[in-house]
Amino acid sequence: MSASREVIERIKKLRETINYHNYRYYVLNQPVISDYEYDILLKELIDLEKKYPELVTPDSPTQKVGGKPAEGFLPVEHTPPMLSLDNTYSEEEIISFHNRVKKALGEESSYTLELKIDGVAVSLVYSDFILVKASTRGNGRIGDEITQNIKTIRSVPLRLITDDRRLKNLEVRGEVFMPKEAFVELNKEREKNGLPLFANPRNASAGSLKLLDPKEVAKRNLDIIIHTVPQSIEGIDSHFSMLKILNKAGLKTSSHTRYCKTIEDVLKYRLEWENKRKNLPYEVDGIVIKIDKFSHQRELSSTDKSPRWAIAYKYPAEQATTRVVDIVPQVGRTGIITPVAVLEPVFLSGSTISRATLHNADEIARKDIRIGDNVFIEKGGEVIPEVIKSIPEARTGKEKVFEMPERCPSCGSKIVRYEGEIAYRCINAGCPSQVKGRIIHFAARNAMDIEGFGEKLVNVLVDKELVKNYADIYFLKKEDLLPLERMAEKSVNNLLNAIEKSKGRSFDRVLFALGIREIGSHTAKLLASHFQIMKRLQNAKYEELLQISEIGPAAAESIIKFFSDHENRMIIKRLKEAGVNMGKEEKKETPKPLFGKTFVLTGTLSKYARDDVTRLIENLGGRVSSSVSSNTDFVVVGESPGSKYEKAKELGVKTISEEEFIEMMSNIKMQNSK
Ligand SMILES: [Zn+2]
């Protein structure tokens, strides 16, 4: 079917409109239409492009996700090279930079001050206003081409929204980063799925940009801030005015950037952000001081390594020193063995720390951390404490090099390391540590939520061989439990009741509880709503799984592998026999009175647990978001609310107390039951 002129015009108009709203939403954070209206526009465009595939262009907003997985990354040469900045660590060094510059220029210069985001440097090339190439910094001269991955970042415009001819062919450089909250969520999800954790948001960003499948990158919630244009542009004579022009053209620049004229103002900015940066949604580890005038920049020029017209100042990290008492290998639920440092307890950023992750054996070797070493540990934001480096000067000679044991500390079977993998694993499915881990996961609050069925009890039950897998939980008898320590008649009854109650948990929770690798609670929901009953999921083919949006090859493979395992099938059969919910086919739609409504929770709720509130809202068709925007409908405010409450007031979003929320829910329930 060939498209009429009306269709071509409509598609063009839709793209412009959607690009504009993307800009309002992701770059300026000032949306002017609701998510719902936006979705309708996007849907119309998707439908038209499906009908007329020949009209799809690379800059269409539909092309943000959906590229094919890459085989690898092609090299890209940077001209001019992407230099790194010299770092400074004190006020004196900033002042001496100022004096050096003043002397070289023979006059005072003005500055542009930027926050230094702890992310990954990238280059974006626009040709004819369209994003055509994006690459990592690499070694500064040659990086990797990651265009498809960069396109998935929502604040990256695929087409500049300007007709300024000077910007027609443009290279910009900036920093890709993962917001703190997205980082915490990602690690939580990875922990649940038995995948190795990222040490910090920067590593997570770098790792995400190097994923081969753009669909996976799209899930990582990366963001970008543009801060540099490597070429000169006619009529623009200062860095600060350049940034403003970029922002108007649709590129995301930082709203915290400041222009100033004196060194005193530079020092004030440094001081001002030392604490304020901790409230930002992303990691900032310093400030960048740039000479503002391009003529001055050219005069000062660059060395081989770094420009002479800019420096970075880095805030001191929150570190402490302590001693590594031991390094113990821990076996997780999926068999990955993580070395953990046992530390002499030390107080750091508000908490006492006695354990820190060492990630993996390669990291230990790279950092040369030995048992008995004095070490620096660091904790940033909500990041797990990490051992940064050892202090070799303090060694006595009694320190011991850690060696990954040849056999699993839990079951004694041989540890393996697959080719190309960093992690060491115990691959014995019957390994007690893994068995325990799987059962703990199964009974956990966000899974089957069996009250009283925690780590301690699981350890006892597995050690006494009363439970060998999670299906056994449902065949426990009173006489099994009564002889156990601290198990009186009443607590045994409570436990058995809790076990009984868990049989009715929703199907998606049951799926999540199975502990299939790569299947977090979100994916479990997708699977549950697609397949509705266990049997259908069990028999699903790889291709069918891939057709579900958001399910990638890794998850699909993992599902197939899980259900083709004989033992797993037996366990599921027994769960079914016990009466655990195996899903049912939905006949009628339950009413969704909260459809389209977005809630944000802040502070401590006294009557409900957060998980429960979230489930309640989702069951009624609403959505719970982790951050407040002008699209938020309600902010539920509990005891001692955080910054979200302030944000809500600032944006004029409706706030309700816990009592009001409960009342709202009971009103809805009454209406539903009518
Ligand atoms: Zn083992």
Side-chain angles (χ1 to χ4, degrees):
M1 198 180 332
S2 78
S4 66
R5 219 182 56 208
E6 285 76 31
V7 169
I8 295 171
E9 280 302 310
R10 180 64 190 156
I11 287 181
K12 187 163 167 264
K13 180 79 196 151
L14 279 168
R15 281 179 192 155
E16 276 171 19
T17 313
I18 293 168
N19 279 335
Y20 173 71
H21 290 302
N22 279 343
Y23 171 65
R24 299 288 316 191
Y25 191 93
Y26 296 113
V27 176
L28 300 182
N29 201 12
Q30 295 164 343
V32 285
I33 57 169
S34 70
D35 288 0
Y36 180 71
E37 290 165 295
Y38 176 88
D39 290 343
I40 288 184
L41 291 171
L42 190 62
K43 175 93 179 17
E44 187 185 347
L45 180 59
I46 291 171
D47 289 347
L48 281 174
E49 288 187 353
K50 255 189 204 152
K51 220 161 146 191
Y52 306 100
E54 70 278 10
L55 296 181
V56 178
T57 57
D59 65 320
S60 170
T62 58
Q63 299 303 298
K64 292 212 70 96
V65 195
K68 294 252 175 304
E71 302 279 331
F73 300 103
L74 295 170
V76 174
E77 202 180 332
H78 300 301
T79 37
M82 292 176 78
L83 301 177
S84 55
L85 296 177
D86 278 339
N87 282 324
T88 58
Y89 300 91
S90 68
E91 210 171 275
E92 290 73 45
E93 286 176 288
I94 297 177
I95 294 171
S96 81
F97 166 75
H98 170 76
N99 290 335
R100 207 159 60 229
V101 165
K102 195 164 111 183
K103 199 173 157 207
L105 295 173
E107 61 174 324
E108 293 270 348
S109 54
S110 48
Y111 295 101
T112 295
L113 305 172
E114 296 168 3
L115 296 180
K116 186 174 174 299
I117 296 170
D118 199 12
V120 178
V122 294
S123 150
L124 272 54
V125 176
Y126 286 86
S127 170
D128 213 2
F129 302 113
I130 293 171
L131 176 66
V132 291
K133 193 186 282 177
S135 53
T136 61
R137 177 177 178 276
N139 63 12
R141 285 163 212 280
I142 293 172
D144 288 324
E145 207 225 285
I146 49 162
T147 315
Q148 294 305 324
N149 288 351
I150 287 290
K151 278 186 173 181
T152 68
I153 299 175
R154 288 177 287 202
S155 48
V156 168
L158 301 186
R159 164 188 275 276
L160 297 177
I161 46 169
T162 178
D163 46 17
D164 186 340
R165 308 299 296 168
R166 297 174 302 173
L167 305 182
K168 194 176 167 200
N169 298 306
L170 178 74
E171 180 184 355
V172 293
R173 292 171 180 178
E175 207 78 5
V176 168
F177 59 93
M178 185 176 287
K180 289 176 192 166
E181 215 162 84
F183 169 72
V184 172
E185 286 302 314
L186 174 64
N187 261 353
K188 264 194 214 159
E189 190 73 14
R190 289 177 73 85
E191 194 172 12
K192 276 189 218 153
N193 296 331
L195 298 168
L197 304 187
F198 286 112
N200 52 48
R202 180 172 25 92
N203 288 2
S205 312
S208 303
L209 285 180
K210 298 302 281 291
L211 289 170
L212 292 172
D213 186 355
K215 284 204 179 82
E216 292 298 315
V217 184
K219 291 185 204 159
R220 295 289 175 91
N221 287 313
L222 296 172
D223 203 345
I224 194 169
I225 284 192
I226 300 296
H227 55 56
T228 300
V229 174
Q231 77 251 44
S232 62
I233 292 176
E234 192 200 324
I236 306 177
D237 61 0
S238 83
H239 183 62
F240 194 73
S241 52
M242 171 79 88
L243 291 176
K244 276 204 239 167
I245 288 167
L246 295 182
N247 188 245
K248 280 215 183 89
L251 292 158
K252 185 162 179 177
T253 55
S254 169
S255 57
H256 304 302
T257 300
R258 193 174 300 164
Y259 169 79
C260 78
K261 283 189 163 161
T262 67
I263 182 68
E264 286 75 26
D265 287 340
V266 174
L267 299 177
K268 257 189 227 159
Y269 185 80
R270 177 192 75 91
L271 205 62
E272 178 188 332
W273 282 99
E274 172 143 26
N275 281 314
K276 235 163 91 177
R277 70 193 165 106
K278 291 171 192 160
N279 301 324
L280 290 169
Y282 44 84
E283 297 271 351
V284 164
D285 62 350
I287 63 169
V288 175
I289 304 157
K290 291 177 178 169
I291 303 291
D292 188 50
K293 272 208 185 97
F294 289 143
S295 59
H296 281 162
Q297 289 187 6
R298 279 191 293 273
E299 203 176 329
L300 292 164
S301 81
S302 303
T303 68
D304 263 4
K305 288 203 190 87
S306 49
R308 290 197 190 88
W309 45 266
I311 49 161
Y313 165 83
K314 284 188 107 172
Y315 291 113
E318 302 203 24
Q319 290 188 344
T321 60
T322 182
R323 209 173 69 88
V324 176
V325 179
D326 199 1
I327 297 178
V328 289
Q330 259 180 12
V331 191
R333 140 175 99 80
T334 57
I336 290 184
I337 297 176
T338 311
V340 173
V342 180
L343 306 169
E344 267 172 17
V346 58
F347 194 75
L348 174 64
S349 341
S351 61
T352 302
I353 291 163
S354 55
R355 291 168 96 79
T357 176
L358 292 162
H359 302 296
N360 54 59
D362 287 2
E363 277 288 292
I364 298 179
R366 192 177 64 78
K367 292 176 178 166
D368 186 22
I369 291 160
R370 305 179 190 178
I371 299 165
D373 259 349
N374 286 289
V375 291
F376 278 100
I377 60 165
E378 190 176 304
K379 193 181 165 208
E382 293 187 68
V383 185
I384 339 149
E386 185 188 8
V387 178
I388 297 300
K389 61 175 180 186
S390 58
I391 311 172
E393 296 79 10
R395 280 181 186 152
T396 62
K398 286 185 182 155
E399 293 75 17
K400 272 186 284 180
V401 174
F402 170 76
E403 275 177 58
M404 190 56 91
E406 280 183 18
R407 298 194 168 271
C408 170
S410 174
C411 70
S413 61
K414 218 164 153 48
I415 288 177
V416 299
R417 189 186 212 183
Y418 293 120
E419 214 181 300
E421 268 200 14
I422 291 168
Y424 286 84
R425 294 170 189 273
C426 165
I427 51 165
N428 167 19
C431 170
S433 274
Q434 293 181 53
V435 170
K436 286 173 186 170
R438 286 196 292 267
I439 298 172
I440 292 165
H441 169 81
F442 182 87
R445 210 191 154 87
N446 54 359
M448 295 303 270
D449 194 10
I450 307 178
E451 209 179 322
F453 217 94
E455 191 173 340
K456 273 187 196 147
L457 179 64
V458 172
N459 285 339
V460 173
L461 292 174
V462 174
D463 290 343
K464 290 198 184 297
E465 298 191 354
L466 287 166
V467 169
K468 293 199 183 70
N469 58 56
Y470 40 65
D472 291 342
I473 296 174
Y474 295 99
F475 296 89
L476 280 170
K477 293 190 189 66
K478 205 167 180 173
E479 51 271 32
D480 295 331
L481 297 166
L482 271 175
L484 302 179
E485 229 176 285
R486 260 175 294 162
M487 275 290 186
E489 175 101 21
K490 192 173 171 219
S491 41
V492 168
N493 285 339
N494 286 344
L495 190 62
L496 289 172
N497 279 337
I499 292 172
E500 187 60 32
K501 214 170 113 190
S502 75
K503 291 178 183 172
R505 298 276 176 253
S506 59
F507 181 45
D508 64 283
R509 280 177 160 241
V510 176
L511 280 182
F512 171 63
L514 296 180
I516 306 169
R517 260 171 92 182
E518 305 276 343
I519 308 304
S521 54
H522 177 67
T523 315
K525 277 190 192 127
L526 297 176
L527 291 172
S529 83
H530 184 91
F531 291 100
Q532 298 196 356
I533 53 171
M534 184 68 87
K535 201 170 168 192
R536 213 174 287 151
L537 171 61
Q538 263 179 308
N539 297 328
K541 297 271 180 314
Y542 181 75
E543 291 72 26
E544 186 181 1
L545 288 163
L546 272 190
Q547 274 165 14
I548 304 171
S549 76
E550 293 187 60
I551 300 226
E557 244 167 62
S558 171
I559 292 165
I560 298 285
K561 201 172 154 213
F562 182 88
F563 287 113
S564 55
D565 181 276
H566 175 70
E567 173 138 5
N568 288 337
R569 291 188 89 102
M570 292 309 291
I571 291 174
I572 288 166
K573 201 171 151 230
R574 291 187 67 225
L575 286 173
K576 194 178 171 193
E577 279 164 18
V580 172
N581 182 6
M582 294 286 131
K584 59 169 182 284
E585 308 206 29
E586 251 177 69
K587 295 257 159 51
K588 64 169 190 152
E589 277 275 76
T590 45
K592 302 280 183 202
L594 292 182
F595 180 78
K597 297 277 181 244
T598 303
F599 288 74
V600 171
L601 312 175
T602 180
T604 317
L605 303 178
S606 57
K607 298 212 175 53
Y608 285 107
R610 261 169 187 249
D611 283 357
D612 296 334
V613 173
T614 303
R615 210 172 319 123
L616 190 59
I617 292 170
E618 285 175 353
N619 285 343
L620 292 170
R623 209 167 68 87
V624 176
S625 167
S626 50
S627 60
V628 179
S629 76
S630 51
N631 291 317
T632 310
D633 294 287
F634 298 99
V635 174
V636 183
V637 182
E639 205 68 49
S640 46
S643 60
K644 292 174 192 169
Y645 178 56
E646 297 302 325
K647 184 90 191 278
K649 280 199 296 190
E650 202 180 299
L651 293 173
V653 172
K654 187 164 173 56
T655 59
I656 53 174
S657 67
E658 190 180 359
E659 282 72 21
E660 287 170 311
F661 173 75
I662 293 169
E663 201 188 341
M664 184 182 202
M665 292 301 121
S666 57
N667 283 340
I668 287 173
K669 273 188 192 149
M670 266 163 53
Q671 278 167 6
N672 272 358
S673 59
K674 268 180 202 164

